[in-house]
Amino acid sequence: MSNKVFVHCPACGLGFVHMVENSGKAAGGLGGAAAGATLGAKVGLIGGPAGATVGAIAGGIFGALTGKSFGDKFDRPRCPGCGVKFQMPEGMG
C-alpha cells in the first residue's frame, strides 16, 4: 500500500507529492536475510550441525538488517527539480 505525502526538498525547497512505498526496504530485507542465512550456515558448518544452525540464524538477522538498510535508499523521495534524494522526515512514512 502506498500513501501520498507532500514533502519539501531540503536542497532547493521545491514542494512536491511523493508516493510512500516500502517495496525496496521489504525486498532488501528478505534478500539480505536469505543470503545471510545461507552464508552463515556454510561458515557455521565448521562447528558441525549446531554451528550451522547458529550461523544461519545470526547470518539471517545480520543480512536482513543490512538488506533493509540498503533497500531503504531505493524508497527515498527524489526531487523533480534538482534530482536530490533525501530521507523522509520522521513520522511521514
Side-chain angles (χ1 to χ4, degrees):
M1 183 174 153
S2 55
N3 298 324
K4 291 181 183 180
V5 293
F6 189 78
V7 294
H8 289 279
C9 175
C12 70
L14 178 70
F16 62 96
V17 174
H18 172 68
M19 296 295 290
V20 177
E21 294 188 27
N22 291 323
S23 59
K25 192 183 299 185
L30 289 174
T38 302
L39 184 62
K42 288 181 180 182
V43 170
L45 281 176
I46 295 169
T53 302
V54 171
I57 293 170
I61 292 170
F62 178 73
L65 294 175
T66 305
K68 185 177 176 184
S69 174
F70 183 74
D72 182 43
K73 292 178 175 49
F74 290 104
D75 296 332
R76 292 183 179 175
R78 180 184 297 271
C79 177
C82 66
V84 170
K85 265 192 157 179
F86 56 94
Q87 192 163 357
M88 290 285 291
E90 290 294 321
M92 293 191 82

